[in-house]
């Protein structure tokens, strides 16, 4: 394991790393929860039919990356209710990158996303990271205040690189948070 992340011992068996056996369920969950970005209603800024992961091989490449883990949140029956990707760049071992984060529609509003963020932050801290980075599309106006409340600060913005998937102009908002050792809570 190059990334150095470990699932917290206090997780009550409700967290685990995804394996290749989870490939299709992670693919489906992430794409299902990112549908809010499609079409013209809600936050719609991606062309209809454009998914977060455009192919299974794109996700498979990320699952194969030795610097990336996909953290799964499980319900009492063992079903996956959420997933968060955590990446640690080899050239910047003091920083981790969080995202994408996806929560199944049946579990939204139940703290699953907050749980995954907290667990990811704790894992990054325990692996020696001092900072957590993330980005989101500026048209997801709900996310800026959400992450600001969690202690993240805006560090800048950049152009959305894959303009061919956009139905309207968008930018990426970059944020970071200085990590503090904390107690894990499930």
């Amino acid at each position: 394991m190059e990334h150095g992340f470990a699932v917290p011992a206090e997780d009550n068996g409700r967290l685990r790393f995804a394996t290749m056996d989870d490939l299709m369920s992670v693919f489906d969950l992430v794409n299902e929860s990112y549908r809010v970005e499609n079409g013209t209603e809600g936050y719609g800024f991606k062309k209809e039919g454009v998914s977060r992961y455009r192919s299974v091989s794109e996700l498979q490449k990320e699952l194969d990356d030795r610097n990336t883990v996909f953290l799964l949140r499980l319900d009492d029956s063992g079903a996956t209710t959420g997933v968060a990707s955590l990446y640690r760049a080899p050239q910047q071992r003091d920083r981790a990158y969080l995202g994408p984060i996806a929560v199944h529609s049946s579990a939204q509003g139940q703290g699953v996303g907050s749980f995954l963020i907290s667990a990811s932050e704790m894992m990054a801290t325990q692996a020696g990271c001092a900072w957590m980075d993330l980005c989101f599309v500026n048209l997801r106006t709900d996310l800026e205040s959400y992450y600001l409340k969690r202690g993240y600060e805006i560090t800048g913005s950049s152009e959305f690189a894959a303009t061919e998937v956009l139905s309207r102009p968008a930018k990426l908002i970059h944020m970071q948070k200085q990590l503090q050792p904390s107690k894990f809570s499930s």
Side-chain angles (χ1 to χ4, degrees):
M1 254 189 314
E2 295 281 326
H3 50 74
F5 302 126
V7 173
E10 305 90 349
D11 76 7
N12 300 324
R14 298 187 71 181
L15 279 178
R16 71 173 176 83
F17 291 141
T19 66
M20 280 301 167
D21 292 338
D22 300 303
L23 180 67
M24 288 311 299
S25 64
V26 170
F27 181 82
D28 292 341
L29 175 59
V30 171
N31 283 338
E32 184 263 334
S33 67
Y34 273 69
R35 280 199 183 105
V36 69
E37 297 177 350
N38 291 87
T40 57
E41 296 183 31
Y43 298 107
F45 56 86
K46 287 186 182 172
K47 293 179 180 171
E48 196 62 48
V50 174
S51 299
R52 167 61 175 87
Y53 287 110
R54 288 178 262 179
S55 70
V56 173
S57 62
E58 181 183 358
L59 175 59
Q60 185 174 12
K61 183 178 175 185
E62 287 188 36
L63 276 171
D64 274 338
D65 186 333
R66 296 174 61 174
N67 295 300
T68 302
V69 295
F70 281 79
L71 186 62
L72 303 180
R73 170 68 169 179
L74 310 174
D75 66 13
D76 292 334
S77 72
T80 302
T81 58
V83 60
S85 172
L86 191 57
Y87 172 77
R88 191 171 185 196
Q91 63 276 23
Q92 287 189 302
R93 301 305 280 176
D94 69 329
R95 299 187 87 85
Y97 178 82
L98 180 62
I101 302 167
V103 176
H104 192 278
S105 58
S106 67
Q108 290 180 358
Q110 298 175 24
V112 173
S114 292
F115 176 87
L116 286 166
I117 293 168
S118 294
S120 297
E121 290 172 353
M122 186 178 128
M123 289 168 44
T125 301
Q126 291 177 342
C129 297
W131 297 92
M132 181 73 81
D133 299 312
L134 60 81
C135 70
F136 62 91
V137 177
N138 67 317
L139 301 173
R140 288 291 312 269
T141 54
D142 58 324
L143 295 179
E144 183 175 330
S145 63
Y146 178 80
Y147 288 119
L148 287 170
K149 288 177 189 171
R150 296 192 62 84
Y152 286 82
E153 60 185 6
I154 296 173
T155 58
S157 65
S158 63
E159 295 301 316
F160 193 95
T163 56
E164 71 278 2
V165 305
L166 297 175
S167 61
R168 56 186 169 141
K171 290 185 179 279
L172 293 175
I173 303 297
H174 300 273
M175 299 185 92
Q176 71 177 12
K177 178 181 181 176
Q178 187 166 13
L179 299 173
Q180 304 293 326
S182 61
K183 179 156 173 47
F184 180 74
S185 62
S186 59

